[in-house]
Amino acid sequence: NEPYSIKVTNGSGLSATLADAINQDQVPVFTTAAGNLATAFNNVAYSANAGATDADGDTVTHSITSGSLPSGISINSTNGMITGTPSGSSLGNYSITVQAATSSATVTRNFVVPLSALPTGGNITNTGGYRYHAFTSSGTFTVSTGFTPSIEIFMMGAGGGGGSWVPGGGGAGGCVNIDSPASFSTSAQAYTVTIGGGGSGAVNPGSMAPPFGGQSITGGDTSLRDASGNYLLTAIGGGRGGNYNGSGSPAHGQGQNGGCGGGRGKADYADGTGVQTTATTSPLGNAVSANSRTYGIGYNGGSSSTNEGYGQEGGGGLNNTERSSGSGKNGIEFSWVSTLNIGTNSSNSASSGGYFGGGGGAGNHSGGTVGSGGVGGGRQGYSNTGSKAPSGFSNTGGGGGGGGRPGGSYSEGGNGGSGVVILRYTV
């Protein structure tokens, strides 16, 4: 019933009234504490509450009495919500004073709207509450001042090339996986992402008498470096597959070491060994959370003494007795990465193994069977062939298949599949 008037009456009944002398009104109260409101990002829809309410139900009018907001956002005079899509403004902190007024009371509060930019680089996808950056080729991941998220990281080194002339398959690339609840802290800088290229397969120009053409090539490393060029994380490329090299140089017949080893060629030559990498040793350069799951894993390549390649993801080896070859092992499923289905392998999904399958060893023209490629990017070997064996699928780190014994014609091992880097974080 406000406002109240005061009436004074004396003993003889005379009186006087002071109209509307007392007002019991309560002042408006802000909903949000003073200081920083939610961070705004250029070209991203924004909403923050800078409003006040009135216990008496009086109408509150909001306005900015000092300072300014980034271009593209404004305050609603009725409810005090700051909304819009920032665009074109300089990054930094925008200080404002918001006034909340009724017909009888006015209050103010100081707020800051930080304006930043989301990280850039790679192919960006927003899904499932996460923002993903997928690098299928080398590039730069740029983090700006004001928003330096902790990120999850998946990295694949490239697969190794397959050998030729009844050889072993190429090994899959090594893998680094740092996922929830572990994370990798970022700072405002430009990170260099290097995607390893698949190793080339060995070539036999058609000579029936080894040695010939040359050896296959190990897959390239995939790495993340800081602005000073320091290596932070590296996924090692897969080892090359060895050739059946007859009396030639053992170096051509050996499967080479790598993220996952390449299969050996001739029985008296060595299969490649997988190289174990961790998150705390060179060339990583910095420590990450002890809870991180790191698969810089190296699995050994296939031996020639068995019809299966040794170890998961290693390239299949030549089986010299049976003239048949071991298969590359299947890759590992990484559920958070398979959301994007990166890679040209049509079967690259959570149910079919994911990434870094090893390449299969080759067969022989006299009737031996070829080794199959590991699911997750690895490719099968060839038998009687005058063409190149299949290459590992792109951006899976899969190993290349071994080229068959050609019976006098051209033979070439498949190339390894290229690497990949996938980053994600919440906004």
Side-chain angles (χ1 to χ4, degrees):
N1 296 319
E2 62 187 4
Y4 298 98
S5 299
I6 299 175
K7 182 179 181 179
V8 179
T9 304
N10 68 6
S12 63
L14 296 175
S15 65
T17 299
L18 180 63
D20 301 335
I22 299 176
N23 196 315
Q24 194 176 296
D25 195 18
Q26 299 184 59
V27 298
V29 176
F30 280 97
T31 302
T32 305
N36 282 8
L37 296 174
T39 300
F41 300 100
N42 270 325
N43 304 312
V44 177
Y46 180 76
S47 178
N49 188 356
T53 59
D54 185 79
D56 302 299
D58 293 339
T59 298
V60 182
T61 301
H62 301 83
S63 60
I64 294 176
T65 57
S66 67
S68 62
L69 291 169
S71 176
I73 62 176
S74 59
I75 190 167
N76 184 299
S77 63
T78 301
N79 58 23
M81 294 296 296
I82 298 176
T83 59
T85 301
S87 177
S89 294
S90 300
L91 304 185
N93 293 324
Y94 288 76
S95 298
I96 57 173
T97 299
V98 175
Q99 175 182 281
T102 66
S103 58
S104 58
T106 298
V107 291
T108 61
R109 180 158 288 181
N110 297 324
F111 295 107
V112 175
V113 176
L115 179 64
S116 185
L118 291 174
T120 60
N123 300 315
I124 299 173
T125 302
N126 296 292
T127 183
Y130 288 94
R131 183 175 170 90
Y132 290 82
H133 295 251
F135 288 86
T136 55
S137 60
S138 299
T140 303
F141 178 66
T142 303
V143 179
S144 299
T145 301
F147 184 71
T148 54
S150 293
I151 60 176
E152 297 173 53
I153 302 175
F154 175 82
M155 300 173 60
M156 279 299 316
S164 61
W165 191 291
V166 198
C175 174
V176 175
N177 183 43
I178 302 174
D179 63 2
S180 181
S183 60
F184 186 92
S185 298
T186 64
S187 59
Q189 60 178 301
Y191 294 88
T192 299
V193 176
T194 301
I195 303 299
S200 300
V203 179
N204 173 14
S207 170
M208 288 294 293
F212 48 77
Q215 61 195 24
S216 54
I217 305 298
T218 296
D221 294 346
T222 293
S223 63
L224 180 70
R225 288 179 290 162
D226 64 19
S228 299
N230 300 310
Y231 283 85
L232 304 178
L233 294 169
T234 299
I236 298 174
R240 67 172 184 254
N243 300 327
Y244 179 92
N245 210 39
S247 59
S249 169
H252 287 197
Q254 292 173 347
Q256 193 179 40
N257 297 343
C260 299
R264 74 171 69 174
K266 197 171 187 290
D268 52 345
Y269 298 150
D271 53 297
T273 300
V275 178
Q276 180 74 37
T277 65
T278 71
T280 56
T281 59
S282 179
L284 303 179
N286 72 322
V288 297
S289 168
N291 294 323
S292 65
R293 293 165 48 198
T294 301
Y295 297 99
I297 332 192
Y299 293 101
N300 293 339
S303 167
S304 61
S305 62
T306 176
N307 200 36
E308 280 287 312
Y310 284 156
Q312 201 169 17
E313 289 80 46
L318 162 70
N319 185 309
N320 198 42
T321 302
E322 299 180 16
R323 295 293 189 187
S324 298
S325 293
S327 298
K329 290 295 184 177
N330 291 343
I332 289 178
E333 172 191 346
F334 299 92
S335 58
W336 73 269
V337 176
S338 63
T339 300
L340 298 185
N341 199 30
I342 295 294
T344 57
N345 181 2
S346 60
S347 64
N348 177 25
S349 65
S351 62
S352 61
Y355 291 78
F356 68 119
N364 185 271
H365 68 83
S366 60
T369 58
V370 302
S372 62
V375 173
R379 301 303 298 275
Q380 76 272 17
Y382 263 20
S383 184
N384 298 334
T385 179
S387 61
K388 187 180 183 69
S391 296
F393 286 104
S394 300
N395 303 125
T396 65
R405 181 173 180 177
S409 62
Y410 173 85
S411 172
E412 184 175 356
N415 299 334
S418 56
V420 70
V421 171
I422 300 175
L423 314 173
R424 80 170 183 180
Y425 51 89
T426 56
V427 178

